Amino acid sequence: MSFFSDIAGFIMEPLYFLISAVMLGFHNVFGKLFGDASGASWALSIIGLTIVIRALLIPLFVKQIKSSRNMQLLQPKVKELQKKYGHDRERLAQETMNLYRETKTNPFSSCLPLIVQMPIFIGLFRLIDQASKNGSGRGLLTDVQARQLRDAELFGGKISSTFLKSDGNLTVQLIAAALVLAMTATTFLTQRQLMSKNMPADALSGPYAQQQKLLLYVLPVVFAVGGIAFPIGVLLYWTTSNLWTMGQQFYVIRNNPAPNTEAFKAKQRRDEEKRKRKGEPPVPAADGTTITEVQAEAPKPVQRQQPKKLTREQRKKSAGKPGAASTPPSDDQTNDPQNDEGEDK
């Protein structure tokens, strides 16, 4: 076991230096405002660490969005493969992977930001846990700063305390419970926002949709169960990260939605209203129509014209000529006074 612990420590040691360097950079700023030992300075340092990490992960987030969009657009083709090779699971898996390879789509890209953040999450947990238990620092964090972090209080609760190890402190339990609920709710709402606004209707029934639904309900439960063992500082990091994800995803969905989704239709309506306010003509769609034309009422069907009445003489002539009965008389014939005279006779 010591061998594996040494390997884990060797891998995590660079992360300790990275995490502590970013935290101490923010702490030097906020410590001058609130005091080096204050809970506010350490809490804001953790939030600053979160913002830096998430800003560095923006390229991965963009890749995640592109991959997620490609997965949505490929669902009709995936369904065709299921119908064609549904009886052969091995062939179906092979053809599906070939489709992803041809379109340069990675079905696991949606998990990249989460996977990359996990070592940072574990590193921050170990830093706070070590400071709480032994009062010793890791990375660039000195023992004095580690003890300051251990004893720092936020709203009356220590940042290093957990819900399970609160020593009967009700304030700590309330703060930890509130952050666990916030972390769980933001995780659920972020995934729900993606499914309800930026997924086309035909993508809500395929295997990708089943994966998204699984994540929608499983991840919040996992975080809620595990969250009661996390220090308040770690919960603060994860909740801030979730809020960042919600805002970032809201911006992307609003300004660059996937085609044939509710967000895409909403963006079309906003663009059309903006053009109306500016007095610009509506932009035609690919089929030549505009949003205004599509939303306009459908034209009323043309009423069928009733056939004109024939005089007795005209009916006799029509009966005598084959095929002539189907030819309606002209207006001159119906208005001819001689026809009226013949009718009177």
Side-chain angles (χ1 to χ4, degrees):
M1 290 296 293
S2 60
F3 173 74
F4 293 105
S5 299
D6 293 339
I7 293 178
F10 177 78
I11 295 174
M12 293 298 296
E13 196 64 30
L15 286 178
Y16 294 143
F17 279 94
L18 174 63
I19 295 170
S20 60
V22 177
M23 280 184 60
L24 291 176
F26 283 103
H27 184 261
N28 290 336
V29 176
F30 295 118
K32 295 177 181 179
L33 298 175
F34 305 102
D36 292 337
S38 67
S41 62
W42 285 107
L44 290 174
S45 300
I46 294 174
I47 293 175
L49 169 68
T50 311
I51 293 174
V52 170
I53 297 300
R54 292 310 308 266
L56 293 175
L57 290 178
I58 287 179
L60 280 181
F61 179 79
V62 173
K63 188 174 182 179
Q64 174 197 11
I65 289 295
K66 290 182 179 179
S67 177
S68 177
R69 178 171 300 178
N70 288 341
M71 290 288 292
Q72 296 170 17
L73 298 177
L74 287 176
Q75 288 310 299
K77 294 184 178 180
V78 172
K79 289 181 179 179
E80 291 179 4
L81 292 177
Q82 290 174 341
K83 291 180 181 179
K84 189 174 182 180
Y85 303 107
H87 59 282
D88 189 347
R89 286 182 171 272
E90 184 178 352
R91 181 68 184 278
L92 175 61
Q94 181 181 357
E95 293 295 332
T96 304
M97 292 308 298
N98 289 337
L99 177 63
Y100 291 154
R101 194 178 300 111
E102 291 173 1
T103 56
K104 298 180 180 180
T105 302
N106 186 358
F108 303 105
S109 293
S110 58
C111 302
L112 279 178
L114 180 63
I115 294 174
V116 173
Q117 279 193 94
M118 287 309 297
I120 306 295
F121 182 80
I122 295 172
L124 179 61
F125 176 85
R126 294 286 297 167
L127 276 178
I128 298 178
D129 186 64
Q130 193 76 15
S132 175
K133 291 179 178 179
N134 306 323
S136 59
R138 304 291 294 268
L140 298 177
L141 196 69
T142 65
D143 292 346
V144 175
Q145 291 169 332
R147 287 191 289 271
Q148 289 178 353
L149 177 60
R150 177 192 63 188
D151 299 330
E153 292 186 357
L154 182 67
F155 304 118
K158 289 185 178 181
I159 291 178
S160 58
S161 298
T162 68
F163 183 89
L164 295 177
K165 298 179 179 179
S166 59
D167 297 329
N169 190 329
L170 181 60
T171 303
V172 171
Q173 292 178 344
L174 290 176
I175 295 174
L179 287 174
V180 168
L181 289 176
M183 181 180 66
T184 305
T186 49
T187 302
F188 177 83
L189 292 175
T190 300
Q191 194 66 23
R192 180 66 178 173
Q193 180 188 45
L194 178 65
M195 293 184 64
S196 62
K197 297 292 185 181
N198 207 40
M199 288 185 69
D202 55 355
L204 294 174
S205 58
Y208 180 72
Q210 299 301 322
Q211 175 189 347
Q212 296 297 317
K213 290 179 181 178
L214 183 65
L215 293 176
L216 176 65
Y217 295 105
V218 171
L219 281 182
V221 174
V222 171
F223 288 135
V225 173
I228 59 177
F230 296 154
I232 290 177
V234 176
L235 294 175
L236 191 62
Y237 169 87
W238 204 252
T239 303
T240 306
S241 179
N242 285 352
L243 290 173
W244 175 286
T245 302
M246 283 185 65
Q248 190 172 242
Q249 187 169 270
F250 175 81
Y251 177 82
V252 172
I253 292 176
R254 179 179 175 83
N255 295 281
N256 192 20
N260 302 321
T261 60
E262 290 296 326
F264 185 79
K265 296 175 183 177
K267 186 176 185 302
Q268 281 187 319
R269 290 192 293 267
R270 290 195 306 271
D271 293 343
E272 182 66 19
E273 291 174 359
K274 187 183 296 184
R275 283 190 289 268
K276 284 182 179 179
R277 288 194 299 268
K278 293 182 179 180
E280 298 177 357
V283 177
D287 57 356
T289 61
T290 63
I291 297 177
T292 307
E293 292 173 351
V294 172
Q295 294 176 345
E297 294 183 0
K300 296 181 180 179
V302 179
Q303 294 182 353
R304 183 180 177 184
Q305 189 175 3
Q306 296 294 331
K308 297 180 180 180
K309 293 183 178 181
L310 301 178
T311 62
R312 187 181 302 173
E313 185 177 353
Q314 288 173 341
R315 286 196 297 271
K316 290 180 180 180
K317 290 181 180 180
S318 298
K321 297 180 180 179
S326 60
T327 304
S330 62
D331 294 341
D332 294 339
Q333 290 176 331
T334 56
N335 296 328
D336 191 356
Q338 294 180 357
N339 293 334
D340 297 336
E341 294 176 0
E343 183 71 23
D344 296 336
K345 293 178 181 178

